Amino acid sequence: MTHMITQPCCNDASCIDVCPVNCIHPTPDEPDFTSAEMLYIDPDTCIDCGACVDECPVEAIFPDDSIDEGQERYLQINADYYTDHDVSCGLVASRKEESLPPGKELHVAIVGAGPAAFYAAEELLKHSAIRVDMFDRLPTPYGLVRAGVAPDHPSTKGVEKTFASTAAKATFEYFLHVEMGKHLNHDELTDHYGAVVYAHGASSDKQLGVDGEDLPGSIAATAFVAWYNGHPDYADRDFDLSAERAVVVGNGNVALDVARILLDDPDHLAKTDIADHALEKLRTSNIKEVVLLGRRGIAQAAYTNAEFLAMGDMAGVDVIIDPKELTLDSVSREARDEGTLDSTIATKVRIAEEYAEREPTAGNKRVVFRYLISPVAIKGSASGIETIRCARNEFVYAPDESVDNLDDTPQPDSGRAAIASSGEEFDLDAGLLMRAIGYTGLPLDGLPFDGGKGVVPNESGRVLDARSGKPLEGVYVTGWIKRGATGGIGMNRLCGQETAAAVIADFAKDKLPQPAKSREEIPALIADRGARRIDDAGWKNIDLAERTAGKEAGRRRVKMVSIEAMVRAANA
């Protein structure tokens, strides 16, 4: 018997630390870790000890004798990884503990309460001399785990248990419902804390840059995700779901999330923690088909294989793929012919080919995957969009310097592969278009900002001065605002740990400035400016109220979606 890792895998890497035989890869010190879709157990090395099962925060690991029919495919997916990887390296070396200054205490402010913030806090609080105050403008913590993870993926939200464990430490305090720029500013944080870590994420969406993008019915997937997840900033939004076809531009996991929510049976979603207002709207939706437009080819698709497989498991929904669009670039095609194609890509292509062979079922809804297609214009009127003008793309091979729109696929004999329009265009009727092409960060007063990359310039988490390029003493970043909006929970853990290590190293070397004022002044300071701070007890009251309402309704929780309701619950 062996164990295997399945769809909910969050790349947290906790399982790696407890594996006695090094059979879980990639490990955080392997190059593949930062781009890995999930972790994999080598069936030939696993000794069936089960240590990883208890450690997994999202319950993604199972012995092969206790899986259901839908999970059997993950036996092959785990095994496939080891067709071109081995277990001979990657053991996680124990890190040398920094020797901290005796008799000194460090107070750290962390701005943001998402995964990267919590992983940084977890690492910092391993030292008894360090105290952490965590700030967030919302009354609730957990960032995109609460407001971004799809409601039909409850296992992924199990990582909240890890965060709650960190927040339970005596050296940790919440300052929720406290807004930077309104109740506090950067200079005041640096006056009251020895170190400040910004982990406020990347909350804005990227634009398509095509005509008609601002028409009614053309929206950001980020807004739709926040709406159905009950984010208070989006609870009052309304989306027109009266058309039969929606188009989603992008083929990452967010694109697949919104497609599932649009097509899923509302009675199934009613068992999740989806926001009530979203559930009510979806019950009246007319959408029967969602078309996903991917600019690049199948081999470059950004979604994970686990999410791709989940699309094919939806009851009453057909996955439609035209086999003629499953075009591989020359390098991928050659590697496949030689049997050396990366196992993750090979699995992605195999799943797509299986979908392409399926016969559609009359009366089913449809999710249509289109590859090498880009929108070039959106047409409609003040009442909404009507048509998406699309261009068919092709791979072009030329020396690097002669191609403006380079793809990331290197070509050994002809420069690099570029995505270029073939000149063929067509119209696609639709009443709703969502752009799901990524998040980007926004500037925060007091911090340098790289507008091109959407990040705060930094070196291993140390914020760099815009003029000198040197680290600003005591100022750090972690998460998407540090490295860009890429990577999930696992990558955020590494990112948070790296930033925490920088803080600890600077503290140990006495490089941190001595704060001019005490952090004990912060509660009174923010109260004078009208902040109604929610602390740990207040958040626990909100959490209890939501879970109690959920239990009564047979759901995980029923989310509050207004700030005032949260504040009332916190003070109950």
Side-chain angles (χ1 to χ4, degrees):
M1 187 171 71
T2 185
H3 283 69
M4 64 177 187
I5 299 176
T6 62
Q7 181 269 329
C9 178
C10 66
N11 290 36
D12 173 271
S14 300
C15 55
I16 292 173
D17 295 334
V18 299
C19 178
V21 293
N22 188 35
C23 75
I24 305 175
H25 291 261
T27 64
D29 60 348
E30 291 175 22
D32 285 355
F33 184 84
T34 57
S35 59
E37 295 184 348
M38 56 183 283
L39 303 181
Y40 307 88
I41 292 177
D42 178 22
D44 294 333
T45 309
C46 177
I47 60 173
D48 187 32
C49 68
C52 57
V53 175
D54 294 332
E55 198 68 23
C56 178
V58 295
E59 300 178 0
I61 307 178
F62 299 90
D64 62 5
D65 65 350
S66 66
I67 57 175
D68 58 37
E69 185 176 348
Q71 294 173 317
E72 289 178 353
R73 298 164 299 186
Y74 287 96
L75 281 170
Q76 186 63 47
I77 289 174
N78 278 251
D80 282 349
Y81 179 80
Y82 293 94
T83 60
D84 54 359
H85 298 79
D86 60 45
V87 295
S88 61
C89 62
L91 285 171
V92 181
S94 58
R95 284 170 295 184
K96 183 180 179 181
E97 291 290 330
E98 292 281 359
S99 179
L100 301 186
K104 291 187 69 174
E105 220 178 40
L106 174 65
H107 291 257
V108 180
I110 297 181
V111 179
F118 270 100
Y119 285 124
E122 178 186 44
E123 196 70 12
L124 291 167
L125 294 176
K126 291 178 180 178
H127 299 271
S128 59
I130 299 178
R131 301 182 63 90
V132 168
D133 290 346
M134 184 173 287
F135 295 81
D136 198 281
R137 71 180 184 86
L138 293 178
T140 56
Y142 306 156
L144 284 181
V145 172
R146 178 181 171 93
V149 173
D152 58 345
H153 284 2
S155 295
T156 305
K157 300 185 182 187
V159 75
E160 292 175 359
K161 292 180 289 188
T162 301
F163 303 157
S165 177
T166 296
K169 294 183 181 296
T171 47
F172 178 99
E173 283 197 45
Y174 273 132
F175 283 76
L176 303 174
H177 200 210
V178 176
E179 186 174 347
M180 293 299 118
K182 180 179 179 181
H183 302 128
L184 278 175
N185 61 43
H186 170 73
D187 290 340
E188 288 166 339
L189 285 177
T190 56
D191 278 348
H192 291 83
Y193 292 90
V196 181
V197 178
Y198 288 93
H200 53 287
S203 57
S204 185
D205 62 282
K206 294 182 179 179
Q207 301 287 310
L208 292 170
V210 302
D211 289 342
E213 187 170 7
D214 295 329
L215 285 171
S218 172
I219 64 174
T222 55
F224 189 70
V225 169
W227 172 76
Y228 67 63
N229 271 315
H231 193 295
D233 291 350
Y234 295 87
D236 293 333
R237 292 285 298 271
D238 188 32
F239 299 101
D240 185 356
L241 308 182
S242 61
E244 292 193 356
R245 177 186 287 153
V247 171
V248 180
V249 181
N251 61 4
N253 282 349
V254 171
L256 270 61
D257 283 348
V258 298
R260 281 198 325 278
I261 296 300
L262 286 170
L263 295 172
D264 205 353
D265 183 347
D267 287 339
H268 173 246
L269 292 174
K271 301 173 184 176
T272 73
D273 65 358
I274 190 169
D276 286 345
H277 59 254
L279 184 62
E280 181 180 352
K281 184 73 175 185
L282 289 165
R283 288 194 184 279
T284 63
S285 170
N286 290 329
I287 292 175
K288 295 180 173 60
E289 179 178 285
V290 176
V291 180
L292 297 164
L293 302 183
R295 182 179 69 88
R296 302 189 294 175
I298 175 63
Q300 291 80 33
Y303 48 71
T304 62
N305 287 330
E307 295 300 317
F308 197 24
L309 278 172
M311 294 301 295
D313 292 336
M314 293 184 67
V317 178
D318 289 329
V319 179
I320 307 297
I321 296 177
D322 185 344
K324 294 192 293 293
E325 291 189 1
L326 297 179
T327 304
L328 298 178
D329 61 276
S330 63
V331 167
S332 298
R333 187 169 59 250
E334 183 178 340
R336 188 181 193 187
D337 291 342
E338 295 175 352
T340 59
L341 183 62
D342 178 88
S343 58
T344 302
I345 297 175
T347 300
K348 191 163 293 176
V349 174
R350 186 182 73 242
I351 295 169
E353 290 173 339
E354 291 173 358
Y355 285 153
E357 293 176 357
R358 290 185 181 181
E359 289 293 329
T361 302
N364 271 7
K365 295 179 181 179
R366 294 156 48 102
V367 56
V368 184
F369 286 82
R370 303 293 305 270
Y371 301 98
L372 291 167
I373 304 291
S374 294
V376 294
I378 304 169
K379 302 177 182 179
S381 65
S383 60
I385 66 171
E386 298 168 1
T387 304
I388 317 298
R389 187 68 173 173
C390 299
R392 198 176 300 279
N393 299 325
E394 61 184 2
F395 289 107
V396 177
Y397 305 104
D400 291 0
E401 62 272 13
S402 67
V403 180
D404 293 329
N405 188 21
L406 289 178
D407 191 72
D408 293 330
T409 309
Q411 306 297 324
D413 301 321
S414 54
R416 294 168 66 86
I419 300 298
S421 174
S422 68
E424 179 185 349
E425 295 186 353
F426 62 93
D427 287 333
L428 189 62
D429 293 338
L432 177 68
L433 179 139
M434 293 193 205
R435 57 184 182 273
I437 55 175
Y439 293 73
T440 187
L442 295 174
L444 187 68
D445 285 347
L447 289 181
F449 188 72
D450 184 333
K453 295 179 180 178
V455 300
V456 173
N458 70 93
E459 185 177 278
S460 300
R462 296 178 176 91
V463 173
L464 300 178
D465 182 80
R467 294 183 178 179
S468 69
K470 295 181 179 179
L472 295 173
E473 289 185 346
V475 185
Y476 306 82
V477 283
T478 189
W480 282 2
I481 197 63
K482 168 186 172 183
R483 66 182 194 278
T486 59
I489 292 172
M491 190 61 208
N492 276 317
R493 185 185 191 196
L494 275 184
C495 187
Q497 289 174 339
E498 179 186 56
T499 296
V503 175
I504 293 166
D506 291 347
F507 180 44
K509 296 172 183 175
D510 203 24
K511 289 185 176 181
L512 296 180
Q514 183 66 31
K517 302 176 182 178
S518 168
R519 57 83 51 199
E520 305 297 335
E521 300 173 10
I522 291 293
L525 176 62
I526 61 175
D528 286 344
R529 292 176 181 168
R532 293 177 291 174
R533 173 200 174 187
I534 293 175
D535 57 13
D536 184 65
W539 157 238
K540 285 180 178 177
N541 283 345
I542 296 172
D543 184 46
L544 177 61
E546 290 186 338
R547 290 184 182 277
T548 299
K551 186 175 182 180
E552 293 171 355
R555 302 166 63 183
R556 178 176 178 269
R557 68 170 67 232
V558 174
K559 288 181 178 176
M560 298 177 192
V561 298
S562 86
I563 297 291
E564 288 304 318
M566 294 176 187
V567 172
R568 286 196 299 270
N571 294 326

